[in-house]
Amino acid sequence: MPVTRLWGVGEVTAQALATMGLATIADVARYPERALVARLGAVTGEHLAALARGEDSRPVISDTASVSVGHQETFEHDVDDRGELAVMLLDQADRVAARLRASELRARVAVLIIKYDDFRQITRRTTLPAPTSDGGLLARTAIELLSKVAIEPRRGSRVRLCGISTTQLEPRDAPRQLGFDDATREKGERLGDTIDKVSAKFGKGAIRRAVHVGEDKE
């Protein structure tokens, strides 16, 4: 890679390195460190020599927190049966919810993703009453959104891909506004926590919804 990929190498430093015959990071790594220091100064010379060797003492700071968690699938055959799509969305919602819980997150917005057999893609979204990691609630929401989109057994209305995405994520331990449905909401999340524990102990698929049992044997 070119020397400009090294942190701190701008136009002036790159030109100075070029006069020394150093165009790539490998060139810098092979060049005597004392010579670098003599030409560029102690701070810059030692800094570039270390980076070229793959040494960087700066702490890694991540500022790219997840902005969405989702799951989608492309089908081998186009689908025009809403019931079949609903079963698929139920499984996708469970997968998304498990990933949210694994990341200690809840989502406030659910998004349905549909791509038709003519490659036209649409999305439908809704804001949930409260942030959640409950797969059942995500599934019900996605299926309700599905009921509002056109699906017919004709060209341009059959489904090639469907999926669920969640956005407006927040930490699971963030303060929550109390509501009348708290008990139901917490029950769904506790069920998810239990499923996660069983899956961690016995493997994924140890617990499945009845509608999905036997799918792997087809």
Side-chain angles (χ1 to χ4, degrees):
M1 292 189 293
V3 291
T4 51
R5 295 295 299 274
L6 291 173
W7 184 80
V9 176
E11 182 178 351
V12 173
T13 303
Q15 290 178 351
L17 292 171
T19 62
M20 300 161 61
L22 308 179
T24 68
I25 295 176
D27 292 337
V28 177
R30 289 191 292 265
Y31 201 78
E33 183 173 342
R34 288 185 178 181
L36 280 174
V37 170
R39 295 289 297 271
L40 303 175
V43 174
T44 300
E46 292 174 1
H47 169 73
L48 293 183
L51 290 183
R53 294 193 299 266
E55 301 172 7
D56 190 346
S57 60
R58 292 173 299 156
V60 176
I61 301 175
S62 174
D63 59 357
T64 56
S66 297
V67 296
S68 68
V69 173
H71 184 82
Q72 59 187 33
E73 297 174 71
T74 300
F75 308 133
E76 185 176 352
H77 304 290
D78 300 331
V79 179
D80 56 33
D81 185 292
R82 291 182 185 274
E84 185 176 350
L85 289 171
V87 172
M88 296 174 183
L89 287 171
L90 183 58
D91 178 62
Q92 291 175 341
D94 284 338
R95 292 171 182 261
V96 171
R99 288 175 56 193
L100 287 170
R101 292 190 297 269
S103 300
E104 293 294 326
L105 295 171
R106 287 190 177 104
R108 183 175 289 276
V109 173
V111 183
L112 171 70
I113 305 165
I114 294 290
K115 180 181 285 187
Y116 291 106
D117 56 345
D118 60 358
F119 298 101
R120 179 170 48 95
Q121 181 168 307
I122 64 171
T123 59
R124 297 292 184 269
R125 66 179 58 215
T126 188
T127 300
L128 302 168
T132 188
S133 60
D134 178 3
L137 176 57
L138 292 177
R140 292 191 296 273
T141 302
I143 292 170
E144 182 179 353
L145 292 172
L146 179 69
S147 69
K148 301 175 182 178
V149 303
I151 298 174
E152 299 175 11
R154 61 182 177 84
R155 173 70 176 172
S157 295
R158 296 186 295 263
V159 176
R160 176 70 52 85
L161 170 152
C162 80
I164 297 174
S165 180
T166 55
T167 63
Q168 292 192 24
L169 309 182
E170 65 178 48
R172 192 171 179 180
D173 58 1
R176 304 179 69 175
Q177 183 176 357
L178 297 178
F180 70 91
D181 60 343
D182 281 351
T184 301
R185 183 171 60 191
E186 292 178 1
K187 181 179 179 180
E189 292 193 342
R190 286 199 303 270
L191 174 60
D193 291 334
T194 300
I195 293 173
D196 294 341
K197 291 177 182 177
V198 173
S199 297
K201 185 173 182 180
F202 298 104
K204 292 183 178 180
I207 292 183
R208 306 191 68 181
R209 296 182 186 271
V211 72
H212 296 133
V213 173
E215 287 183 348
D216 294 339
K217 298 180 181 180
E218 295 179 356

